[in-house]
Amino acid sequence: MTHAQPEPSAQTPPERAEYAFEGRTVVVTGGGSGIGRATAHAFADEGARVLVVGRRTEALAETARHRPNIRCYGADLSEPDAPAAVVAEAVREFGGIDVLVNNAARLRPEPLGRIDDLDARTELRVNLLAPLFLTQEALPRLEAAKGTVVNVSTAGIGRGWAGHSVYGAAKTALDFLTRTWAVELAPRGIRVVGIAPGPVDTPLAERAGLGPDEVARLRARQSARVPLGRVGQPEEVARWAVELARPEAAFTTGLVLPVDGGASAVF
Ligand SMILES: NC(=O)c1ccc[n+]([C@@H]2O[C@H](COP(=O)([O-])OP(=O)(O)OC[C@H]3O[C@@H](n4cnc5c(N)ncnc54)[C@H](OP(=O)(O)O)[C@@H]3O)[C@@H](O)[C@H]2O)c1
């Protein structure tokens, strides 16, 4: 028995393939924890082959546990030769790159007067120059795939942010790169989008040196500032990396999407 297919119309959205990213390849930096791990899982669960990158190989292996379509690559993105090595590994493993998620970041808040030169340089390398050179290295692959770059920045950087000179400057510059590359790479068929998370429950604060009590107080303060009254979960951010990389988002580029519980809407 055959069934007549309904005519597509504005009322009937196209059906989404169960494995929308089957046959597509994704690189996620900082894939060993937090938003990066959730992003790797979200793409892998839609059929993508994913390469997760970070320094802690055991954390990457944990991300890949039970998901045979996730591969791991240990690299320190503060090293100048890391971007080329990451792209070479993705090509070796998968033959190309459809989606590059520049997610890895380092946060070492210090007020002006206490900023260490080496720390600042490392932070700029990981948070700004690694996305730049990774994207540059990946260009031929992204062009061949008509691919997408997703840059993870942060909400609230249009305003002053005491103690975050280096981190905020790098993320502000990353948003600039998102818009600039969107224009520059559109003729080559590459889309570039950004995600600007508000406060999210990840190990970032602990790794910046806060103890458990300080993290709890920070979360309470952050929740009070967010209109939705809570911090986000990594999966709530990861979802948008996937949505923006879908073929259905083909007319979207240069957008930096706040995923912040409404924080950026507050004056
Ligand atoms: N959590 C939040 O509230 C929040 C808010 C706004 C924006 N964000 C952004 O979200 C993204 C993910 O952060 P997260 O919150 O998920 O924190 P996270 O769990 O600490 O993730 C950061 C990742 O970056 C990797 N990384 C750091 N330095 C690296 C280096 N030198 N080389 C390679 N990888 C490096 C870390 O892995 P290794 O240590 O193993 O290398 C880690 O997996 C970042 O871009 C962050 O700025 C987070």
Side-chain angles (χ1 to χ4, degrees), residues 33 35 55-56 76-77 103 153-154 167 171 200 202 207:
S33 57
I35 292 166
R55 288 166 304 175
R56 294 163 303 148
D76 182 344
L77 291 169
N103 164 79
S153 69
T154 185
Y167 181 82
K171 294 295 192 180
V200 180
T202 73
R207 303 195 73 207

Side-chain angles (χ1 to χ4, degrees), residues 147-205:
T148 307
V149 179
V150 182
N151 290 326
V152 181
S153 69
T154 185
I157 48 178
R159 288 165 288 207
W161 191 5
H164 292 75
S165 296
V166 180
Y167 181 82
K171 294 295 192 180
T172 303
L174 189 60
D175 284 355
F176 172 79
L177 296 183
T178 297
R179 289 188 271 268
T180 297
W181 295 345
V183 177
E184 208 171 300
L185 302 180
R188 298 169 71 171
I190 302 169
R191 295 189 301 113
V192 186
V193 292
I195 297 178
V200 180
D201 189 14
T202 73
L204 192 69

Side-chain angles (χ1 to χ4, degrees), residues 21-69:
F21 285 86
E22 190 94 63
R24 300 181 72 201
T25 60
V26 181
V27 173
V28 181
T29 66
S33 57
I35 292 166
R37 173 176 286 172
T39 301
H41 286 171
F43 276 110
D45 292 349
E46 296 222 22
R49 287 174 297 157
V50 182
L51 185 72
V52 284
V53 179
R55 288 166 304 175
R56 294 163 303 148
T57 48
E58 69 289 356
L60 299 175
E62 182 58 32
T63 297
R65 201 146 71 98
H66 307 309
R67 287 179 173 85
N69 48 340

